[in-house]
Amino acid sequence: MPTTLLRLAAALIVATIVIGALYFASAVFEPVAFAFFFIAISWPMQKALQTRAPKTVALIATVVVGLVIVFTLTSLVAWGGGQIAHWLTRNFDRLQSVYAAGAQWLEQHDIFLSTLISERFNVVWVLRLSQQVALRLNSLVGFSLLVFVFLALGLLEAEAFAKNLRTVGGEVTGSRLIAAGAEIGGKLRRYMLVRAGASLLTGLTVWGFSLLIGLELAAAWGVIAFALNFIPFVGPLIATTLPALFALAQTGSWELALIVLATLSILQFLIGSYLEPLLAGKNLTISPFLVLFSVFFWGFVWGLPGTFIGVPIAIACLTLCEHFPESRAVAVLLSGKAPKEKTEGEG
């Protein structure tokens, strides 16, 4: 028992030190984590191009394709946020009238929160928040460039690293790590394909529904929904709440806002709870608790980028645990899958 307690205490101390290092040195570890993620996704393209062109040319082509994709997605999100911020600026008077009507309604029902709301959550606060979001999105461009520097170096050394890993780690351990890395790459690629497909469907659905009910900036809401859907739980919640609030600001109708909120919530639930698991298959099964924990934990450690990278990190850790007998129990417990019941005749 004392030995077990000492090991547990040592593990907690090490975990605390690692979390502290990840938090305070996020400028170093955050882009490295994203680089590993993109290496796992883009390695098949790099490997295929190397068979048809020199290694340097294949590397440049892979990095350029990745930059184009990230730049396009970032530009779309920045455009959508800019459209919404511009609309809020042009319709300042309308927002003030909606706010005043809401405050009056609260007072008529003996809910005197107008002073607190006016001090903390007024229209000026909303405008400042929109500006901060836009600035944050712009800063992600510089962060992306740093990630792609690490990506280029990682792709350049990937094959040599695999050979050295087998030599340094031993034949058995090295083989397991290489197999785990290959499986992690396959799972992450499948995860991103599923998320991209579901996000595209979500964006098109939100855009179509916004056009149907006459909501302004329908294309912007579709783009925002597409981007936010890459963040599990938190993203769909925001993508559902914002259009509902916008419907209230545009029309002043609580009924329409509730209809928007309810309809988009149902659509998000159907896509996230039925379509995505169907596309992902059994290989990507992961505990919903672990997904939610990963989003909030890595969001606390690394902010907005952490909410995106949290689930891929969890998938990678679980896959790594599956390849070693000492940690396989952890993968089983957090897989979200019930063990198969033995049928009669199985021993």
Side-chain angles (χ1 to χ4, degrees), residues 32-69:
V32 171
F34 272 84
F36 279 122
F37 172 70
F38 287 120
I39 288 172
I41 293 176
S42 60
W43 175 246
M45 178 180 177
Q46 168 75 11
K47 190 175 181 180
L49 289 176
Q50 286 181 185
T51 62
R52 298 174 175 83
K55 187 174 183 179
T56 304
V57 176
L59 174 63
I60 294 174
T62 302
V63 173
V64 168
V65 170
L67 280 171
V68 169
I69 293 174

Side-chain angles (χ1 to χ4, degrees), residues 7-345:
R7 290 180 177 177
L8 180 60
L12 291 175
I13 293 173
V14 171
T16 303
I17 294 174
V18 170
I19 293 172
L22 292 172
Y23 179 81
F24 290 106
S26 60
V28 177
F29 291 108
E30 188 177 349
V32 171
F34 272 84
F36 279 122
F37 172 70
F38 287 120
I39 288 172
I41 293 176
S42 60
W43 175 246
M45 178 180 177
Q46 168 75 11
K47 190 175 181 180
L49 289 176
Q50 286 181 185
T51 62
R52 298 174 175 83
K55 187 174 183 179
T56 304
V57 176
L59 174 63
I60 294 174
T62 302
V63 173
V64 168
V65 170
L67 280 171
V68 169
I69 293 174
V70 171
F71 178 76
T72 302
L73 292 176
T74 305
S75 299
L76 285 174
V77 174
W79 173 82
Q83 290 292 312
I84 295 172
H86 183 61
W87 188 94
L88 293 175
T89 304
R90 287 189 293 106
N91 295 271
F92 184 84
D93 294 337
R94 185 190 301 184
L95 294 175
Q96 286 283 24
S97 62
V98 172
Y99 166 75
Q104 183 179 2
W105 183 87
L106 289 174
E107 291 180 0
Q108 291 175 353
H109 292 79
D110 298 326
I111 303 176
F112 300 98
L113 297 177
S114 58
T115 302
L116 179 62
I117 294 175
S118 62
E119 290 178 354
R120 297 181 181 273
F121 303 104
N122 51 28
V123 177
V124 176
W125 177 86
V126 175
L127 293 175
R128 289 177 179 174
L129 178 62
S130 301
Q131 294 172 353
Q132 291 177 0
V133 171
L135 290 174
R136 180 61 176 170
L137 291 174
N138 290 331
S139 68
L140 287 177
V141 176
F143 172 79
S144 299
L145 293 177
L146 180 60
V147 169
F148 277 95
V149 171
F150 287 116
L151 170 63
L153 296 175
L155 289 174
L156 192 63
E157 301 178 6
E159 292 180 336
F161 179 78
K163 294 178 181 178
N164 293 334
L165 185 63
R166 191 184 299 273
T167 302
V168 175
E171 186 67 26
V172 177
T173 303
S175 299
R176 286 177 177 175
L177 289 174
I178 292 172
E183 186 175 346
I184 289 171
K187 286 185 176 182
L188 292 182
R189 288 189 290 272
R190 185 174 181 84
Y191 169 78
M192 286 306 297
L193 284 175
V194 171
R195 297 300 300 181
S199 297
L200 180 60
L201 179 60
T202 301
L204 292 174
T205 303
V206 172
W207 170 69
F209 176 72
S210 299
L211 284 178
L212 181 64
I213 64 173
L215 199 65
E216 296 183 36
L217 306 179
W221 292 120
V223 169
I224 295 296
F226 166 75
L228 290 178
N229 198 68
F230 282 96
I231 304 174
F233 291 107
V234 178
L237 176 63
I238 298 175
T240 300
T241 305
L242 288 181
L245 294 176
F246 185 82
L248 175 62
Q250 177 184 327
T251 64
S253 171
W254 288 96
E255 294 80 4
L256 180 62
L258 291 176
I259 291 174
V260 172
L261 181 64
T263 303
L264 293 184
S265 297
I266 294 173
L267 292 174
Q268 291 278 10
F269 176 78
L270 292 176
I271 294 174
S273 299
Y274 290 97
L275 182 61
E276 285 193 42
L278 181 64
L279 295 175
K282 298 180 179 179
N283 291 333
L284 284 182
T285 304
I286 183 173
S287 168
F289 169 82
L290 182 59
V291 172
L292 188 60
F293 175 80
S294 300
V295 171
F296 282 100
F297 174 77
W298 290 104
F300 165 76
V301 176
W302 288 342
L304 180 62
T307 59
F308 170 80
I309 199 69
V311 176
I313 290 177
I315 292 174
C317 291
L318 284 183
T319 305
L320 189 62
C321 289
E322 289 176 358
H323 283 262
F324 291 88
E326 299 84 0
S327 58
R328 195 164 295 150
V330 177
V332 173
L333 289 174
L334 298 178
S335 66
K337 296 184 293 185
K340 294 182 179 180
E341 297 182 359
K342 292 185 178 180
T343 59
E344 294 184 3

